[in-house]
Amino acid sequence: KGLFLIVDTGKNRLTVRDGETVVREVVVSCGSGGVLEDPKGGRTWVFDTPRGERQIKSKVKNPTWIKPDWAFIEEGESIPKKYGDRAEEGVMGDYALGIGNGYFLHGTLYTRLLGRNVTHGCVRIGDADLDEHEDPDQREGDPESGRVQLADRSVFAEARGEDRVLQLEDGP
């Protein structure tokens, strides 16, 4: 019934399915579950990969990471006042698939860490796997036209027509 992705955050696996057929399964890295507290501002971040159904909302080739406040706090650096000082090239790999609220499925410089829960919430995928299956130029259809249902627990997500739906499952 159409192409969709399932991410098992506990097993760090991404499965590409076409209806009931498994097209490919790859090793990924998901959120660490770590907690960071801002010592000055009283803010707290929990680095989990979101759960529930999501739609691929954007597809970017050669993405630029716009570092959020937590990235500077984590590194013990001052938060820049200029937006341009947040841009970092090359750290998200060759492609990024946006699923909303600042979360992406994207490439990684840290391929040795694939299979481990080490991210700040995004799903890191080896560039070779993205290159073969996620090249934005090879996709058809408008990803922004799909519907997404959010669920507290794992719910089967199916693609409707050309929609691209992502299901994020709780692992064991």
Side-chain angles (χ1 to χ4, degrees):
K1 290 190 173 189
L3 185 69
F4 65 99
L5 308 174
I6 298 173
V7 176
D8 183 326
T9 62
K11 293 181 182 176
N12 287 301
R13 297 287 186 272
L14 179 144
T15 305
V16 180
R17 297 184 67 128
D18 188 357
E20 293 298 315
T21 304
V22 173
V23 176
R24 184 167 172 92
E25 183 173 277
V26 299
V27 176
V28 298
S29 288
C30 297
S32 68
V35 177
L36 176 66
E37 293 186 20
D38 181 350
K40 296 179 184 175
R43 299 178 289 176
T44 302
W45 294 271
V46 178
F47 299 122
D48 285 331
T49 299
R51 306 302 198 273
E53 295 181 19
R54 303 286 190 271
Q55 178 183 338
I56 295 173
K57 297 179 178 193
S58 64
K59 301 178 243 181
V60 183
K61 191 171 185 175
N62 300 316
T64 299
W65 184 37
I66 306 302
K67 293 172 69 172
D69 288 356
W70 59 256
F72 296 96
I73 292 167
E74 186 177 56
E75 294 172 5
E77 298 176 1
S78 297
I79 298 170
K81 297 190 185 324
K82 295 180 184 175
Y83 182 79
D85 292 339
R86 293 176 176 265
E88 195 167 326
E89 301 283 336
V91 296
M92 293 178 71
D94 296 333
Y95 303 102
L97 304 174
I99 59 172
N101 296 328
Y103 293 99
F104 290 86
L105 284 80
H106 62 79
T108 182
L109 297 173
Y110 307 104
T111 55
R112 71 188 182 286
L113 297 176
L114 291 172
R116 299 182 187 175
N117 291 88
V118 295
T119 79
H120 294 93
C122 288
V123 178
R124 293 182 191 165
I125 307 170
D127 278 339
D129 293 319
L130 274 171
D131 203 23
E132 183 174 347
H133 291 284
E134 306 304 335
D135 183 345
D137 297 331
Q138 300 300 314
R139 299 281 203 162
E140 295 180 8
D142 178 6
E144 297 180 13
S145 66
R147 291 181 219 130
V148 178
Q149 296 177 346
L150 303 176
D152 291 334
R153 301 294 292 161
S154 174
V155 176
F156 182 78
E158 85 178 32
R160 293 173 180 88
E162 292 296 319
D163 302 347
R164 305 295 188 247
V165 177
L166 170 72
Q167 177 181 356
L168 297 163
E169 295 185 335
D170 286 316

